[in-house]
């Protein structure tokens, strides 16, 4: 299979969904249900949405470098979950594909995956800070020429007389003395650096959700494979028993035929004895 082709498939509620994605930057998505094509779409979006009024929708996710991640199916009534990217049922990637290898890495090394995603969020924050510092450093060292622009002389506006408004005696409300609450220093630090901490926390939370999703999909796939294997093992003894019964019936029939031929020989021998042979 070419690296530029990724295939997902799964049977959900009695319908077999098959998705084929071709391309690296501009990708071509072909979605079929029970062998019938539902839609075909081309897009470069890393979070492509394929929507069908009759069959629901698919959310296909790729990384920023174009690596396939997962394809998730949503029922027609799961519109809100589909928009949020949660819930749904993941399709099974083709064995030995890049999406299958990625899923296996997440399941086998969950701590490493969570650490990589969290460090990626931290790198994004640090990269933004460094980029802002570099831009500020460059601007500070660029000498811009002074440009005198001729501005027109505007006339002075006349003073408008304002009426004297009566003073309103507002009642004084006795407020109770609130206790002096000291906020811990770490809370102050988090509040001051929340815009830097939040992306890192969000990356960690999303990584944990992805690990749970992958484990759930792996357990469902294993249960489905085990159920298929059990049904195959159950049907095999029944077939063998039917074959044994058929062979036993054939043996009984051949035995009856031999008995009948023996009886015929005995019957022919009796007239000969009566004739004195």
């Amino acid at each position: 299979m070419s690296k530029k082709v990724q295939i997902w498939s799964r049977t959900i509620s009695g319908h077999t969904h098959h998705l084929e994605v071709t391309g690296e930057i501009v990708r071509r998505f072909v979605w079929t249900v029970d062998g019938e094509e539902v839609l075909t779409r081309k897009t470069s979006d890393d979070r492509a949405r394929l929507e069908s009024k009759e069959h629901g929708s698919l959310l296909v996710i790729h990384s920023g470098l174009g690596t396939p991640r997962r394809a998730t199916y949503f029922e027609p009534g799961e519109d809100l979950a589909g928009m949020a990217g949660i819930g749904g049922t993941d399709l099974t990637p083709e064995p030995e594909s890049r999406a299958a290898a990625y899923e296996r890495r997440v399941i086998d090394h969950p701590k490493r995956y969570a650490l990589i995603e969290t460090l990626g969020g931290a790198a994004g924050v640090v990269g933004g800070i460094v980029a802002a510092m570099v831009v500020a450093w460059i601007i500070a060292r660029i000498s811009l020429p002074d440009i005198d622009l001729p501005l027109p002389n505007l006339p002075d506006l006349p003073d408008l007389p304002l009426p004297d408004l009566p003073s309103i005696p507002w009642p004084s409300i006795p407020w109770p003395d609130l206790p002096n609450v000291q906020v811990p220093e770490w809370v102050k630090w988090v509040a001051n650096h929340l815009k830097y901490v939040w992306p890192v926390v969000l990356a960690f939370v999303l990584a944990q959700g992805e690990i749970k999703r992958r484990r759930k999909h792996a357990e469902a796939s294993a249960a489905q494979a085990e159920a298929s294997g059990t049904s195959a093992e159950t049907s095999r003894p029944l077939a063998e028993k039917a074959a044994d019964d058929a062979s036993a019936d054939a043996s009984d029939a051949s035995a009856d035929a031999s008995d009948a031929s023996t009886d015929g020989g005995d019957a022919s021998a009796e007239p000969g004895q009566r004739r004195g042979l």
Side-chain angles (χ1 to χ4, degrees):
M1 184 186 66
S2 174
K3 290 185 176 181
K4 296 183 179 180
V5 179
Q6 175 64 52
I7 297 175
W8 287 272
S9 62
R10 187 168 185 173
T11 300
I12 304 173
S13 301
H15 298 284
T16 301
H17 297 264
H18 183 89
L19 176 65
E20 182 174 334
V21 181
T22 307
E24 292 289 339
I25 300 177
V26 178
R27 308 176 188 93
R28 182 174 181 266
F29 300 82
V30 180
W31 178 19
T32 61
V33 178
D34 296 332
E36 296 183 0
E37 184 176 323
V38 175
L39 60 85
T40 299
R41 181 187 174 189
K42 284 186 176 182
T43 180
S44 59
D45 191 0
D46 291 335
R47 296 178 62 89
R49 290 190 55 83
L50 312 178
E51 297 182 357
S52 171
K53 294 182 179 179
E54 181 180 357
H55 299 284
S57 61
L58 280 176
L59 175 62
V60 187
I61 299 178
H62 289 74
S63 68
L65 299 177
T67 305
R69 289 295 186 244
R70 63 179 170 91
T72 305
Y73 170 73
F74 299 92
E75 298 282 350
E78 293 183 287
D79 295 337
L80 294 178
M83 293 176 62
I86 60 177
T89 303
D90 290 346
L91 302 186
T92 302
E94 190 175 19
E96 307 299 329
S97 63
R98 290 186 293 172
Y102 172 78
E103 181 175 356
R104 178 51 54 191
R105 288 196 301 270
V106 173
I107 296 174
D108 293 343
H109 308 284
K111 293 183 179 180
R112 185 177 68 180
Y113 170 77
L115 179 61
I116 292 174
E117 293 296 318
T118 305
L119 291 178
V125 174
V126 175
I129 297 175
V130 172
M133 293 176 61
V134 170
V135 172
W137 181 82
I138 294 175
I139 293 177
R141 279 156 179 76
I142 296 177
S143 59
L144 299 177
D146 296 332
I147 300 176
D148 295 331
L149 297 177
L151 298 177
N153 294 325
L154 299 177
D156 296 333
L157 297 176
D159 295 333
L160 298 177
L162 298 177
D164 295 332
L165 299 177
S167 61
I168 301 175
W170 296 104
S172 61
I173 301 176
W175 294 102
D177 294 333
L178 298 177
N180 187 11
V181 179
Q182 295 293 333
V183 180
E185 292 297 328
W186 68 269
V187 176
K188 295 180 180 179
W189 185 90
V190 171
N192 294 330
H193 300 81
L194 184 60
K195 61 181 179 180
Y196 306 120
V197 176
W198 171 245
V200 180
V201 175
L202 179 61
F204 177 79
V205 172
L206 292 178
Q208 295 299 321
E210 186 69 12
I211 292 171
K212 292 181 180 179
R213 171 184 288 276
R214 297 294 181 173
R215 287 177 175 173
K216 180 180 178 181
H217 175 256
E219 292 173 357
S221 300
Q224 186 177 4
E226 183 178 357
S228 301
T230 302
S231 60
E233 291 177 358
T234 303
S235 60
R236 183 178 178 181
L238 293 177
E240 292 178 354
K241 183 178 180 181
D244 294 340
D245 293 340
S247 61
D249 294 339
S251 300
D252 294 339
S254 60
D256 293 339
S258 61
D259 293 339
S261 62
T262 304
D263 294 340
D266 294 341
S268 61
E270 289 179 358
Q273 291 177 1
R274 285 196 297 268
R275 288 195 300 268
L277 297 177

